[in-house]
Amino acid sequence: MDVMGYAAQSATDALAPFSFERRDPRHDDVVVDILYCGVCHTDLHLARNHGGFTTYPLVPGHEIVGRVREVGDAVSRFKVGDMVGVGCMVDSCQQCKPCLKGWEQDCAEGPTFTYASIDRHDGTPTCGGYSDTVVVTENFVLALPDGLDPAGAAPLLCAGITTWSPLHRWNVGEGSKVAVIGLGGLGHMALKLARALGADVTLFTRSSGKEEDAFRIGVNHVVLSSDPAQMAVVAGRFDVIIDTVPYDHDVNPYMPTLTLEGVLVLVGYMGPLGTPVNAGGVVRGRRAITGSFIGGVPETQRMLDFCGKHGIVSDVEIIPIQQINEAYERMLRSDVKYRFVIDIASLKS
C-alpha cells in the first residue's frame, strides 16, 4: 500500500516528505491508521547517524497510537475501529527463551524494531510512525485503554515502558524510596509511575528551578545533586535510582545515596561511562549498578493498563509534522516539556 511520511535521506539532510510502500497485510497483521507519534531522542540519533550504522532513507517513529483500519483473517484480539498502540518492536523470533518469557526486546535472534530494522520474513526495511499507516503483526500491537488521551499516551510506548520495566523488576510499591536522575521525557514518566505505585519519590537534578514542575508532577522531594550538603542528607536513603541521563556522566556521586542492596538502573544512556565506577561504592552496602532496555510486549500492556487505571499520560507538546526538524533542535536544547508528539493529520496539510 502507498504511504506518506517524513524521512531523512542522509545524516545532514532535514527530514522531508517521503512516499513509500508498506507490505501487503499478512494473515496475522493489523493495519493501523496512525493518529499520533511521539518524538524520541533515538529518532534524532538515528536520523543523524550518531551511531554510525543508519541506513537511508529513514522513517523514524516508535511511539505510535492509531486506529485499526483492517485485520488479517487470523487476527483475534483486535477489530476494525479499535484504538491501539505500537511501540519500539514489531516482531521477534517468538521461540527463544527471552521471547517465551515475554522479553522480546532481548530476543536471541534480535528483535525487529519498528524502524531502522529488517523484516524477518521478507527482508524489507521497516519504517516508523512518522507516516500515516503502519502494518504490524498482531502479537506486537497493544490495546489502548479507554479514556487515555491518545496524544499523551503515545510516549508511553517508549518512555513509559522504559521506566516502568525497572520499577516493576525491582518491586517498587508502597513504602519504596525511589529517586530519578533527570527531569526529561524519561524522567518525568519515571516520577509519575513511581508515585502512582505508591513510592516516596525524589528528583535528582543538577540545576535549580525544577522544583515547581517536579512538585506539580507529584514528587515528594527535590535534591540538587551538585550540592554536597543536600547529597549528604539523602545518604543511604534510596532502594532504587532510575538514571535517565542520555549522555556520559559520573554515577559515583549517587552510589552513597543507595540503601543496603539498593540498585541504580541506567535507562537513558547506552555508551561507555568515561568516569570509572568506584568499586568501593558498590561493594559497601551490597549495592548494584544495572541497566534496563525498553520492555517486552506483556509488560508494556500491563503498563498501559496501569496508566489507564490511574490516568497517567506523558506531558506533551503536539506539533505538526512540518515542524519536526525544529523539534529536533529544540530537543537538543532540552526545550520541551516533556515530549513532542506529532499530529499525523498534519501530513495532509
Side-chain angles (χ1 to χ4, degrees), residues 232-301:
V233 170
V234 293
R237 177 178 179 83
F238 303 112
D239 304 302
V240 178
I241 298 175
I242 306 296
D243 184 342
T244 71
V245 177
Y247 49 79
D248 180 24
H249 58 289
D250 185 3
V251 301
N252 289 293
Y254 303 100
M255 300 307 293
T257 71
L258 287 170
T259 189
L260 180 68
E261 295 191 326
V263 59
L264 183 147
V265 190
L266 295 163
V267 299
Y269 178 63
M270 298 181 68
L273 292 172
T275 303
V277 174
N278 184 337
V282 177
V283 172
R284 288 190 295 272
R286 298 167 60 93
R287 296 163 177 142
I289 299 173
T290 187
S292 185
F293 175 58
I294 51 175
V297 174
E299 65 179 344
T300 303
Q301 188 62 64

Side-chain angles (χ1 to χ4, degrees), residues 6 35 37 83 87 93 100 125 144 185 191 201 227 229 252 305 326:
Y6 261 54
L35 300 175
C37 184
M83 288 291 291
C93 81
L100 293 175
L144 196 71
L191 294 166
V201 183
D227 183 343
N252 289 293
D305 293 343
E326 176 188 347

